[in-house]
Amino acid sequence: MLAVHASPERLDKLYPIPTHAPSLQAPRRLPGVTPQSTTALQKTLRDNHIKWHIFFNEKHFHNHASHHLLALYHLGANGPNIEEAYETHTSYQRRAYESPGPISDDNFHEHLGNEDYYNAYLKFFIDKILEKGAEATIEEYIFSPKANVEPPKPGKPPLQMANRFLAGLLHPLIHTGYGCEFGLPGQLAEGLAETAVHSPLAPALTPPTLMQYVGAAATDVANATVSRVTSLIPFLVLDQVRRVIRTAETPSPPKTVHALSLVARLLRDDRYSYKTVALPPPVNSEEDTSLERVLHLRGAELAEVVKEWTVDGTNVAEVEAKIEELFWTNAVIFGVGGWGGREKSGTGKFNGDFFFLHLVTSVLFLPSIVAYLSPTSTSILLRTYLLNTLALYVARGRPALPIVEFFDKVTPAPAPPSDSLPPTKPADGTLTSDNRTPSPWFAILQSTLEHPDDHLCKLQRSLAHFDSLYGSTPAGHLKKLGVELDGVERIDGSLFVRIAGLALGRVGWMREGQERDEWDFGGFFHD
């Protein structure tokens, strides 16, 4: 037990009853939350916080336990469901341990990237959040000039904290995002400490062209003519957040290139093919991963591509529109790209790429994180996030996106295996009695709650939320926005439920009797 931050009083502050998300663009909680499920959630989150390190092995594989628990809680899981899910993680976790020494503002830079200092960074960020509030802490230690472009000491390199925030397949962002969405200071502190002990990716992920306004981060809230004001959040009491939106002063979002159009450009440009970039990386190359190789070889070009995708962080409507673009973009890459790659996936099934999956689960948190950020930091986060998305798309093989075929052949009404449906005949007068799953989402989410794969519930939570926001979107909407992607005129709001059905089919309708299967790791390195 780490008594330094394990007292009951301290844990009450770090893991209170979860609040609702701070943005209307963030997920709304599904029915099912009870005092019992809330107690189970708090108990397991606190146990996880006290006992386990953020990496469960020396390869820096991430502790996902809290992500799993919070996703299930959001979807309406009961207490035993949450507790049993936690038990699936405890057998392989690595015990937390004391760091060699404490972290202070003076030595903050000295131990970045060193997992042995995770506990010290965790205590540091807990103290800062409880003292300064979440918003001020994120700004100062993730997005400020001193956190990114200013040397901490003469002759020392910049800290690159925004870069670290996107490292590790976006896990620091995801972990922090849960803290922001659910109003949990302990979760948020873990995410920031996780950021600190990650090594940065290639500098091309956060290039000067996208960080050029970082110097204004500390002052732009006061000096810019902003269209929203977000209150400081001293203890993540998100229900006290109030936004002031001057509707008359908020201009319409400017017509700029859509994120999906940038994906289309990469598809048409042979410089980004897996053959040209030589993916996967050759044995004994200097890059550890395909993503590192892409950032080294094509990072500058990708930064130029993203320069066209501007974000005015002072404009609420524009920020929300840009986040919506990212929702659609990441879903298309995972879903349509995965379906298009099924025939060469090795299984003949939907290629549920494990890496693309994290694009869908991470993008969900952008509205909640942005609620804590200044306009400058909002712009930096969204633009560097898009750069990461495009780089990962190339790194996984830049799969084709056969949109027309996808909408022709993938069902918009996925259902469990027919032999798993109740044998009892519906009573006379039952509406649509020949259709035992009139809402595919209820069947999908019920099966998801009992599936042991901790990534499935996170994926389906994202897709269900996107469906709730954009399910009524008619075909042709994205075409009218100027998206250049072939077949884009066919995309409609049924995209998300179609993908949800493919995903559950990939890993198995276990509740309904199918065997468990796995996500895909082979990429799309084929023609």
Side-chain angles (χ1 to χ4, degrees), residues 282-298:
V283 177
N284 298 323
S285 70
E286 65 176 6
E287 294 87 13
D288 292 329
T289 66
S290 294
L291 180 59
E292 286 280 353
R293 182 170 182 82
V294 169
L295 289 170
H296 283 140
L297 298 181
R298 296 290 182 270

PDB file of all heavy atoms in Angstrom, residues 282-298:
ATOM      1  N   PRO A 282      12.013  -2.655 -41.966  1.00  0.00           N
ATOM      2  CA  PRO A 282      12.979  -3.745 -42.133  1.00  0.00           C
ATOM      3  C   PRO A 282      13.541  -4.201 -40.792  1.00  0.00           C
ATOM      4  O   PRO A 282      13.600  -3.434 -39.835  1.00  0.00           O
ATOM      5  CB  PRO A 282      14.077  -3.119 -43.004  1.00  0.00           C
ATOM      6  CG  PRO A 282      13.416  -1.949 -43.660  1.00  0.00           C
ATOM      7  CD  PRO A 282      12.398  -1.449 -42.697  1.00  0.00           C
ATOM      8  N   VAL A 283      13.936  -5.451 -40.728  1.00  0.00           N
ATOM      9  CA  VAL A 283      14.549  -5.975 -39.507  1.00  0.00           C
ATOM     10  C   VAL A 283      15.799  -5.159 -39.176  1.00  0.00           C
ATOM     11  O   VAL A 283      16.578  -4.790 -40.062  1.00  0.00           O
ATOM     12  CB  VAL A 283      14.922  -7.459 -39.687  1.00  0.00           C
ATOM     13  CG1 VAL A 283      15.626  -7.978 -38.434  1.00  0.00           C
ATOM     14  CG2 VAL A 283      13.677  -8.290 -39.975  1.00  0.00           C
ATOM     15  N   ASN A 284      15.967  -4.848 -37.889  1.00  0.00           N
ATOM     16  CA  ASN A 284      17.122  -4.080 -37.393  1.00  0.00           C
ATOM     17  C   ASN A 284      17.148  -2.629 -37.881  1.00  0.00           C
ATOM     18  O   ASN A 284      18.194  -1.990 -37.892  1.00  0.00           O
ATOM     19  CB  ASN A 284      18.445  -4.764 -37.772  1.00  0.00           C
ATOM     20  CG  ASN A 284      18.571  -6.144 -37.166  1.00  0.00           C
ATOM     21  OD1 ASN A 284      18.136  -6.372 -36.038  1.00  0.00           O
ATOM     22  ND2 ASN A 284      19.162  -7.074 -37.921  1.00  0.00           N
ATOM     23  N   SER A 285      15.984  -2.106 -38.302  1.00  0.00           N
ATOM     24  CA  SER A 285      15.949  -0.690 -38.672  1.00  0.00           C
ATOM     25  C   SER A 285      15.973   0.156 -37.408  1.00  0.00           C
ATOM     26  O   SER A 285      15.750  -0.328 -36.300  1.00  0.00           O
ATOM     27  CB  SER A 285      14.686  -0.371 -39.477  1.00  0.00           C
ATOM     28  OG  SER A 285      13.538  -0.443 -38.645  1.00  0.00           O
ATOM     29  N   GLU A 286      16.203   1.448 -37.568  1.00  0.00           N
ATOM     30  CA  GLU A 286      16.304   2.327 -36.398  1.00  0.00           C
ATOM     31  C   GLU A 286      14.940   2.589 -35.765  1.00  0.00           C
ATOM     32  O   GLU A 286      14.851   3.005 -34.616  1.00  0.00           O
ATOM     33  CB  GLU A 286      16.951   3.648 -36.782  1.00  0.00           C
ATOM     34  CG  GLU A 286      16.128   4.472 -37.768  1.00  0.00           C
ATOM     35  CD  GLU A 286      16.748   5.823 -38.063  1.00  0.00           C
ATOM     36  OE1 GLU A 286      17.861   6.075 -37.588  1.00  0.00           O
ATOM     37  OE2 GLU A 286      16.107   6.618 -38.769  1.00  0.00           O
ATOM     38  N   GLU A 287      13.865   2.349 -36.519  1.00  0.00           N
ATOM     39  CA  GLU A 287      12.541   2.588 -35.984  1.00  0.00           C
ATOM     40  C   GLU A 287      12.035   1.348 -35.272  1.00  0.00           C
ATOM     41  O   GLU A 287      12.154   0.228 -35.765  1.00  0.00           O
ATOM     42  CB  GLU A 287      11.546   2.957 -37.095  1.00  0.00           C
ATOM     43  CG  GLU A 287      11.847   4.285 -37.785  1.00  0.00           C
ATOM     44  CD  GLU A 287      12.824   4.131 -38.939  1.00  0.00           C
ATOM     45  OE1 GLU A 287      13.076   2.975 -39.346  1.00  0.00           O
ATOM     46  OE2 GLU A 287      13.325   5.142 -39.409  1.00  0.00           O
ATOM     47  N   ASP A 288      11.418   1.555 -34.103  1.00  0.00           N
ATOM     48  CA  ASP A 288      10.834   0.437 -33.369  1.00  0.00           C
ATOM     49  C   ASP A 288       9.508   0.010 -33.969  1.00  0.00           C
ATOM     50  O   ASP A 288       9.117  -1.149 -33.872  1.00  0.00           O
ATOM     51  CB  ASP A 288      10.618   0.820 -31.898  1.00  0.00           C
ATOM     52  CG  ASP A 288      11.931   1.000 -31.160  1.00  0.00           C
ATOM     53  OD1 ASP A 288      12.906   0.314 -31.518  1.00  0.00           O
ATOM     54  OD2 ASP A 288      11.968   1.824 -30.239  1.00  0.00           O
ATOM     55  N   THR A 289       8.785   0.941 -34.566  1.00  0.00           N
ATOM     56  CA  THR A 289       7.440   0.653 -35.052  1.00  0.00           C
ATOM     57  C   THR A 289       7.243   1.273 -36.433  1.00  0.00           C
ATOM     58  O   THR A 289       8.007   2.143 -36.879  1.00  0.00           O
ATOM     59  CB  THR A 289       6.380   1.245 -34.115  1.00  0.00           C
ATOM     60  OG1 THR A 289       6.466   2.681 -34.154  1.00  0.00           O
ATOM     61  CG2 THR A 289       6.575   0.765 -32.682  1.00  0.00           C
ATOM     62  N   SER A 290       6.183   0.821 -37.088  1.00  0.00           N
ATOM     63  CA  SER A 290       5.824   1.407 -38.381  1.00  0.00           C
ATOM     64  C   SER A 290       5.494   2.887 -38.231  1.00  0.00           C
ATOM     65  O   SER A 290       5.808   3.691 -39.112  1.00  0.00           O
ATOM     66  CB  SER A 290       4.626   0.655 -38.976  1.00  0.00           C
ATOM     67  OG  SER A 290       4.967  -0.667 -39.299  1.00  0.00           O
ATOM     68  N   LEU A 291       4.845   3.253 -37.118  1.00  0.00           N
ATOM     69  CA  LEU A 291       4.505   4.664 -36.905  1.00  0.00           C
ATOM     70  C   LEU A 291       5.755   5.518 -36.808  1.00  0.00           C
ATOM     71  O   LEU A 291       5.823   6.605 -37.405  1.00  0.00           O
ATOM     72  CB  LEU A 291       3.652   4.805 -35.640  1.00  0.00           C
ATOM     73  CG  LEU A 291       3.220   6.231 -35.278  1.00  0.00           C
ATOM     74  CD1 LEU A 291       2.405   6.862 -36.409  1.00  0.00           C
ATOM     75  CD2 LEU A 291       2.430   6.243 -33.977  1.00  0.00           C
ATOM     76  N   GLU A 292       6.753   5.060 -36.073  1.00  0.00           N
ATOM     77  CA  GLU A 292       8.004   5.815 -35.976  1.00  0.00           C
ATOM     78  C   GLU A 292       8.641   5.958 -37.361  1.00  0.00           C
ATOM     79  O   GLU A 292       9.162   7.027 -37.706  1.00  0.00           O
ATOM     80  CB  GLU A 292       8.964   5.100 -35.025  1.00  0.00           C
ATOM     81  CG  GLU A 292       8.595   5.223 -33.553  1.00  0.00           C
ATOM     82  CD  GLU A 292       9.022   6.561 -32.963  1.00  0.00           C
ATOM     83  OE1 GLU A 292       9.716   7.328 -33.656  1.00  0.00           O
ATOM     84  OE2 GLU A 292       8.657   6.834 -31.810  1.00  0.00           O
ATOM     85  N   ARG A 293       8.601   4.910 -38.148  1.00  0.00           N
ATOM     86  CA  ARG A 293       9.191   4.976 -39.490  1.00  0.00           C
ATOM     87  C   ARG A 293       8.463   6.003 -40.353  1.00  0.00           C
ATOM     88  O   ARG A 293       9.093   6.808 -41.053  1.00  0.00           O
ATOM     89  CB  ARG A 293       9.147   3.598 -40.151  1.00  0.00           C
ATOM     90  CG  ARG A 293       9.799   3.574 -41.530  1.00  0.00           C
ATOM     91  CD  ARG A 293       9.970   2.168 -42.051  1.00  0.00           C
ATOM     92  NE  ARG A 293      10.629   2.153 -43.353  1.00  0.00           N
ATOM     93  CZ  ARG A 293      11.940   2.231 -43.524  1.00  0.00           C
ATOM     94  NH1 ARG A 293      12.725   2.332 -42.467  1.00  0.00           N
ATOM     95  NH2 ARG A 293      12.466   2.213 -44.735  1.00  0.00           N
ATOM     96  N   VAL A 294       7.154   5.988 -40.306  1.00  0.00           N
ATOM     97  CA  VAL A 294       6.382   6.962 -41.093  1.00  0.00           C
ATOM     98  C   VAL A 294       6.689   8.381 -40.647  1.00  0.00           C
ATOM     99  O   VAL A 294       6.874   9.282 -41.474  1.00  0.00           O
ATOM    100  CB  VAL A 294       4.877   6.659 -40.983  1.00  0.00           C
ATOM    101  CG1 VAL A 294       4.052   7.809 -41.554  1.00  0.00           C
ATOM    102  CG2 VAL A 294       4.540   5.355 -41.698  1.00  0.00           C
ATOM    103  N   LEU A 295       6.759   8.606 -39.342  1.00  0.00           N
ATOM    104  CA  LEU A 295       7.039   9.952 -38.850  1.00  0.00           C
ATOM    105  C   LEU A 295       8.444  10.407 -39.237  1.00  0.00           C
ATOM    106  O   LEU A 295       8.658  11.588 -39.549  1.00  0.00           O
ATOM    107  CB  LEU A 295       6.861   9.998 -37.334  1.00  0.00           C
ATOM    108  CG  LEU A 295       5.411   9.891 -36.836  1.00  0.00           C
ATOM    109  CD1 LEU A 295       5.366   9.704 -35.323  1.00  0.00           C
ATOM    110  CD2 LEU A 295       4.614  11.136 -37.238  1.00  0.00           C
ATOM    111  N   HIS A 296       9.401   9.484 -39.245  1.00  0.00           N
ATOM    112  CA  HIS A 296      10.755   9.853 -39.654  1.00  0.00           C
ATOM    113  C   HIS A 296      10.831  10.173 -41.150  1.00  0.00           C
ATOM    114  O   HIS A 296      11.483  11.140 -41.556  1.00  0.00           O
ATOM    115  CB  HIS A 296      11.735   8.725 -39.321  1.00  0.00           C
ATOM    116  CG  HIS A 296      12.102   8.650 -37.876  1.00  0.00           C
ATOM    117  ND1 HIS A 296      12.248   7.460 -37.196  1.00  0.00           N
ATOM    118  CD2 HIS A 296      12.338   9.628 -36.955  1.00  0.00           C
ATOM    119  CE1 HIS A 296      12.566   7.714 -35.940  1.00  0.00           C
ATOM    120  NE2 HIS A 296      12.624   9.012 -35.769  1.00  0.00           N
ATOM    121  N   LEU A 297      10.155   9.343 -41.952  1.00  0.00           N
ATOM    122  CA  LEU A 297      10.295   9.478 -43.408  1.00  0.00           C
ATOM    123  C   LEU A 297       9.269  10.411 -44.038  1.00  0.00           C
ATOM    124  O   LEU A 297       9.550  11.005 -45.085  1.00  0.00           O
ATOM    125  CB  LEU A 297      10.193   8.093 -44.068  1.00  0.00           C
ATOM    126  CG  LEU A 297      11.270   7.076 -43.680  1.00  0.00           C
ATOM    127  CD1 LEU A 297      11.046   5.770 -44.427  1.00  0.00           C
ATOM    128  CD2 LEU A 297      12.665   7.627 -43.994  1.00  0.00           C
ATOM    129  N   ARG A 298       8.091  10.524 -43.447  1.00  0.00           N
ATOM    130  CA  ARG A 298       7.023  11.316 -44.065  1.00  0.00           C
ATOM    131  C   ARG A 298       6.421  12.341 -43.107  1.00  0.00           C
ATOM    132  O   ARG A 298       5.433  12.982 -43.433  1.00  0.00           O
ATOM    133  CB  ARG A 298       5.913  10.390 -44.558  1.00  0.00           C
ATOM    134  CG  ARG A 298       6.324   9.420 -45.663  1.00  0.00           C
ATOM    135  CD  ARG A 298       6.580  10.136 -46.989  1.00  0.00           C
ATOM    136  NE  ARG A 298       6.914   9.181 -48.038  1.00  0.00           N
ATOM    137  CZ  ARG A 298       8.139   8.780 -48.334  1.00  0.00           C
ATOM    138  NH1 ARG A 298       9.179   9.267 -47.646  1.00  0.00           N
ATOM    139  NH2 ARG A 298       8.355   7.914 -49.303  1.00  0.00           N
TER     140      ARG A 298
END
